[in-house]
């Protein structure tokens, strides 16, 4: 009985998934098909073009990382991770 209920639930979920996929295809058919064909959302001829950067801004680097004091190693006893019984 549980297997039948699980099978029906799985069939319902699969049917719902197929319904969602078909609804997406119906609303965005041209965009999806052009993406599958490799054209993309913007064909090469009509794609927006960006202007080249006139002057690149230099990256501002600070020496804040170098000013942080380094942690000193602490002498501690080494203990085995596992017990000898393991």
């Amino acid at each position: 009985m549980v297997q039948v209920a699980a099978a029906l639930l799985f069939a319902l979920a699969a049917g719902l998934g197929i319904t969602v996929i078909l609804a997406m295809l119906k609303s965005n058919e041209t965009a999806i098909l052009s993406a599958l064909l490799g054209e993309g959302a913007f064909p090469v001829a009509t794609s927006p073009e960006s202007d080249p950067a006139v002057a690149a801004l230099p990256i501002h680097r600070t020496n804040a990382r170098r000013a942080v004091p380094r942690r000193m190693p602490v002498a501690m006893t080494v203990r085995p991770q596992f017990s000898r019984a393991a």
Side-chain angles (χ1 to χ4, degrees):
M1 191 68 167
V2 174
Q3 289 91 356
V4 173
L8 288 175
L9 188 63
F10 180 75
L12 180 69
L16 183 63
I18 290 174
T19 305
V20 167
I21 291 172
L22 290 176
M24 285 173 36
L25 273 174
K26 186 176 181 182
S27 65
N28 294 326
E29 180 181 6
T30 56
I32 293 172
L33 291 178
S34 69
L36 289 175
L37 293 174
E39 296 174 2
F42 299 105
V44 176
T46 62
S47 64
E49 296 195 18
S50 61
D51 295 331
V54 177
L57 296 175
I59 297 174
H60 179 67
R61 295 183 185 235
T62 62
N63 293 332
R65 284 190 168 187
R66 294 182 188 159
V68 175
R70 303 276 184 201
R71 291 178 30 180
M72 299 299 290
V74 177
M76 51 193 249
T77 60
V78 178
R79 294 184 304 189
Q81 280 187 328
F82 302 105
S83 67
R84 292 183 185 179

